PDB file of all heavy atoms in Angstrom:
ATOM      1  N   ARG N 225      20.374  -9.755  -8.754  1.00 78.00           N
ATOM      2  CA  ARG N 225      20.456 -10.997  -9.513  1.00 78.00           C
ATOM      3  C   ARG N 225      21.322 -12.024  -8.501  1.00 78.00           C
ATOM      4  O   ARG N 225      21.037 -13.206  -8.619  1.00 78.00           O
ATOM      5  CB  ARG N 225      21.110 -10.838 -10.791  1.00 78.00           C
ATOM      6  CG  ARG N 225      21.117 -12.140 -11.750  1.00 78.00           C
ATOM      7  CD  ARG N 225      21.721 -11.700 -13.147  1.00 78.00           C
ATOM      8  NE  ARG N 225      20.941 -10.797 -13.683  1.00 78.00           N
ATOM      9  CZ  ARG N 225      21.526  -9.669 -14.118  1.00 78.00           C
ATOM     10  NH1 ARG N 225      22.846  -9.276 -13.793  1.00 78.00           N
ATOM     11  NH2 ARG N 225      20.831  -8.739 -14.842  1.00 78.00           N
ATOM     12  N   GLY N 226      22.214 -11.401  -7.713  1.00 65.00           N
ATOM     13  CA  GLY N 226      23.075 -12.242  -6.908  1.00 65.00           C
ATOM     14  C   GLY N 226      23.985 -13.199  -7.683  1.00 65.00           C
ATOM     15  O   GLY N 226      24.737 -12.938  -8.636  1.00 65.00           O
ATOM     16  N   CYS N 227      23.725 -14.546  -7.177  1.00 47.00           N
ATOM     17  CA  CYS N 227      24.404 -15.621  -7.966  1.00 47.00           C
ATOM     18  C   CYS N 227      23.781 -16.097  -9.070  1.00 47.00           C
ATOM     19  O   CYS N 227      24.113 -17.089  -9.829  1.00 47.00           O
ATOM     20  CB  CYS N 227      24.793 -16.787  -6.975  1.00 47.00           C
ATOM     21  SG  CYS N 227      25.757 -16.178  -5.581  1.00 47.00           S
ATOM     22  N   GLU N 228      22.589 -15.664  -9.435  1.00 52.00           N
ATOM     23  CA  GLU N 228      21.758 -16.192 -10.556  1.00 52.00           C
ATOM     24  C   GLU N 228      22.059 -15.429 -11.807  1.00 52.00           C
ATOM     25  O   GLU N 228      22.463 -14.246 -11.796  1.00 52.00           O
ATOM     26  CB  GLU N 228      20.305 -16.041 -10.135  1.00 52.00           C
ATOM     27  CG  GLU N 228      19.752 -16.728  -8.930  1.00 52.00           C
ATOM     28  CD  GLU N 228      19.702 -18.151  -9.200  1.00 52.00           C
ATOM     29  OE1 GLU N 228      19.658 -18.616 -10.230  1.00 52.00           O
ATOM     30  OE2 GLU N 228      19.592 -18.816  -8.095  1.00 52.00           O
ATOM     31  N   ASP N 229      22.067 -16.161 -12.814  1.00 47.00           N
ATOM     32  CA  ASP N 229      22.183 -15.625 -14.261  1.00 47.00           C
ATOM     33  C   ASP N 229      20.946 -15.281 -14.960  1.00 47.00           C
ATOM     34  O   ASP N 229      21.031 -14.722 -16.082  1.00 47.00           O
ATOM     35  CB  ASP N 229      23.078 -16.604 -15.098  1.00 47.00           C
ATOM     36  CG  ASP N 229      24.530 -16.870 -14.450  1.00 47.00           C
ATOM     37  OD1 ASP N 229      24.987 -15.822 -13.956  1.00 47.00           O
ATOM     38  OD2 ASP N 229      25.044 -17.942 -14.622  1.00 47.00           O
ATOM     39  N   ASP N 230      19.881 -15.764 -14.333  1.00 47.00           N
ATOM     40  CA  ASP N 230      18.531 -15.432 -15.049  1.00 47.00           C
ATOM     41  C   ASP N 230      18.092 -14.063 -14.850  1.00 47.00           C
ATOM     42  O   ASP N 230      17.892 -13.529 -13.766  1.00 47.00           O
ATOM     43  CB  ASP N 230      17.633 -16.427 -14.487  1.00 47.00           C
ATOM     44  CG  ASP N 230      16.171 -16.328 -15.282  1.00 47.00           C
ATOM     45  OD1 ASP N 230      16.075 -15.670 -16.208  1.00 47.00           O
ATOM     46  OD2 ASP N 230      15.221 -17.024 -14.806  1.00 47.00           O
ATOM     47  N   ASP N 231      17.917 -13.341 -16.068  1.00 47.00           N
ATOM     48  CA  ASP N 231      17.408 -11.973 -15.781  1.00 47.00           C
ATOM     49  C   ASP N 231      16.097 -11.866 -15.162  1.00 47.00           C
ATOM     50  O   ASP N 231      15.748 -10.774 -14.819  1.00 47.00           O
ATOM     51  CB  ASP N 231      17.511 -11.414 -17.375  1.00 47.00           C
ATOM     52  CG  ASP N 231      18.864 -10.961 -17.804  1.00 47.00           C
ATOM     53  OD1 ASP N 231      19.780 -10.992 -16.920  1.00 47.00           O
ATOM     54  OD2 ASP N 231      19.122 -10.927 -19.001  1.00 47.00           O
ATOM     55  N   ASN N 232      15.228 -12.879 -15.379  1.00 48.00           N
ATOM     56  CA  ASN N 232      13.947 -12.830 -14.756  1.00 48.00           C
ATOM     57  C   ASN N 232      13.885 -12.736 -13.216  1.00 48.00           C
ATOM     58  O   ASN N 232      12.730 -12.579 -12.664  1.00 48.00           O
ATOM     59  CB  ASN N 232      13.070 -14.001 -15.251  1.00 48.00           C
ATOM     60  CG  ASN N 232      12.837 -13.870 -16.748  1.00 48.00           C
ATOM     61  OD1 ASN N 232      12.642 -12.854 -17.302  1.00 48.00           O
ATOM     62  ND2 ASN N 232      12.771 -15.014 -17.432  1.00 48.00           N
ATOM     63  N   VAL N 233      15.120 -13.053 -12.573  1.00 50.00           N
ATOM     64  CA  VAL N 233      15.198 -13.118 -11.145  1.00 50.00           C
ATOM     65  C   VAL N 233      14.886 -11.738 -10.607  1.00 50.00           C
ATOM     66  O   VAL N 233      14.255 -11.590  -9.624  1.00 50.00           O
ATOM     67  CB  VAL N 233      16.459 -13.647 -10.654  1.00 50.00           C
ATOM     68  CG1 VAL N 233      16.545 -13.441  -9.148  1.00 50.00           C
ATOM     69  CG2 VAL N 233      16.632 -15.104 -11.064  1.00 50.00           C
ATOM     70  N   ALA N 234      15.259 -10.698 -11.195  1.00 54.00           N
ATOM     71  CA  ALA N 234      15.076  -9.326 -10.761  1.00 54.00           C
ATOM     72  C   ALA N 234      14.879  -8.352 -11.974  1.00 54.00           C
ATOM     73  O   ALA N 234      15.207  -8.494 -13.018  1.00 54.00           O
ATOM     74  CB  ALA N 234      16.439  -8.901 -10.048  1.00 54.00           C
ATOM     75  N   ARG N 235      14.072  -7.291 -11.570  1.00 60.00           N
ATOM     76  CA  ARG N 235      13.858  -6.311 -12.440  1.00 60.00           C
ATOM     77  C   ARG N 235      13.801  -4.965 -11.897  1.00 60.00           C
ATOM     78  O   ARG N 235      13.408  -4.716 -10.624  1.00 60.00           O
ATOM     79  CB  ARG N 235      12.425  -6.519 -13.111  1.00 60.00           C
ATOM     80  CG  ARG N 235      12.095  -7.621 -14.040  1.00 60.00           C
ATOM     81  CD  ARG N 235      10.920  -7.802 -14.662  1.00 60.00           C
ATOM     82  NE  ARG N 235       9.783  -7.792 -13.631  1.00 60.00           N
ATOM     83  CZ  ARG N 235       9.362  -8.911 -13.044  1.00 60.00           C
ATOM     84  NH1 ARG N 235      10.048 -10.037 -13.237  1.00 60.00           N
ATOM     85  NH2 ARG N 235       8.384  -8.860 -12.169  1.00 60.00           N
ATOM     86  N   THR N 236      14.334  -3.977 -12.560  1.00 60.00           N
ATOM     87  CA  THR N 236      14.367  -2.566 -12.147  1.00 60.00           C
ATOM     88  C   THR N 236      13.941  -1.678 -13.264  1.00 60.00           C
ATOM     89  O   THR N 236      14.148  -1.921 -14.358  1.00 60.00           O
ATOM     90  CB  THR N 236      15.881  -2.094 -11.810  1.00 60.00           C
ATOM     91  OG1 THR N 236      16.488  -2.985 -10.945  1.00 60.00           O
ATOM     92  CG2 THR N 236      15.955  -0.774 -11.335  1.00 60.00           C
ATOM     93  N   SER N 237      13.064  -0.657 -12.784  1.00 60.00           N
ATOM     94  CA  SER N 237      12.308   0.167 -13.807  1.00 60.00           C
ATOM     95  C   SER N 237      12.275   1.584 -13.276  1.00 60.00           C
ATOM     96  O   SER N 237      12.303   1.748 -11.939  1.00 60.00           O
ATOM     97  CB  SER N 237      11.025  -0.373 -14.211  1.00 60.00           C
ATOM     98  OG  SER N 237      10.128  -0.423 -13.149  1.00 60.00           O
ATOM     99  N   PHE N 238      12.178   2.520 -14.002  1.00 55.00           N
ATOM    100  CA  PHE N 238      12.021   3.991 -13.652  1.00 55.00           C
ATOM    101  C   PHE N 238      10.655   4.358 -14.246  1.00 55.00           C
ATOM    102  O   PHE N 238      10.489   4.604 -15.406  1.00 55.00           O
ATOM    103  CB  PHE N 238      13.098   4.791 -14.309  1.00 55.00           C
ATOM    104  CG  PHE N 238      14.388   4.262 -13.885  1.00 55.00           C
ATOM    105  CD1 PHE N 238      15.229   3.499 -14.672  1.00 55.00           C
ATOM    106  CD2 PHE N 238      14.980   4.559 -12.603  1.00 55.00           C
ATOM    107  CE1 PHE N 238      16.445   3.129 -14.420  1.00 55.00           C
ATOM    108  CE2 PHE N 238      16.343   4.083 -12.276  1.00 55.00           C
ATOM    109  CZ  PHE N 238      17.026   3.261 -13.192  1.00 55.00           C
ATOM    110  N   SER N 239       9.685   4.533 -13.326  1.00 50.00           N
ATOM    111  CA  SER N 239       8.237   4.728 -13.680  1.00 50.00           C
ATOM    112  C   SER N 239       8.105   6.106 -14.127  1.00 50.00           C
ATOM    113  O   SER N 239       8.605   7.001 -13.569  1.00 50.00           O
ATOM    114  CB  SER N 239       7.473   4.369 -12.442  1.00 50.00           C
ATOM    115  OG  SER N 239       6.092   4.602 -12.746  1.00 50.00           O
ATOM    116  N   MET N 240       7.250   6.150 -15.262  1.00 43.00           N
ATOM    117  CA  MET N 240       6.810   7.459 -15.611  1.00 43.00           C
ATOM    118  C   MET N 240       5.337   7.777 -15.298  1.00 43.00           C
ATOM    119  O   MET N 240       4.777   8.870 -15.477  1.00 43.00           O
ATOM    120  CB  MET N 240       7.012   7.493 -17.153  1.00 43.00           C
ATOM    121  CG  MET N 240       8.475   7.372 -17.529  1.00 43.00           C
ATOM    122  SD  MET N 240       9.422   8.797 -17.076  1.00 43.00           S
ATOM    123  CE  MET N 240       8.628  10.103 -18.057  1.00 43.00           C
ATOM    124  N   GLY N 241       4.517   6.761 -14.900  1.00 45.00           N
ATOM    125  CA  GLY N 241       3.102   7.007 -14.787  1.00 45.00           C
ATOM    126  C   GLY N 241       2.818   7.583 -13.287  1.00 45.00           C
ATOM    127  O   GLY N 241       3.536   7.805 -12.489  1.00 45.00           O
TER     128      GLY N 241
END
Side-chain angles (χ1 to χ4, degrees):
R225 192 177 298 120
C227 298
E228 301 286 345
D229 294 326
D230 185 3
D231 286 338
N232 292 326
V233 173
R235 295 187 299 279
T236 305
S237 63
F238 305 98
S239 175
M240 295 295 293

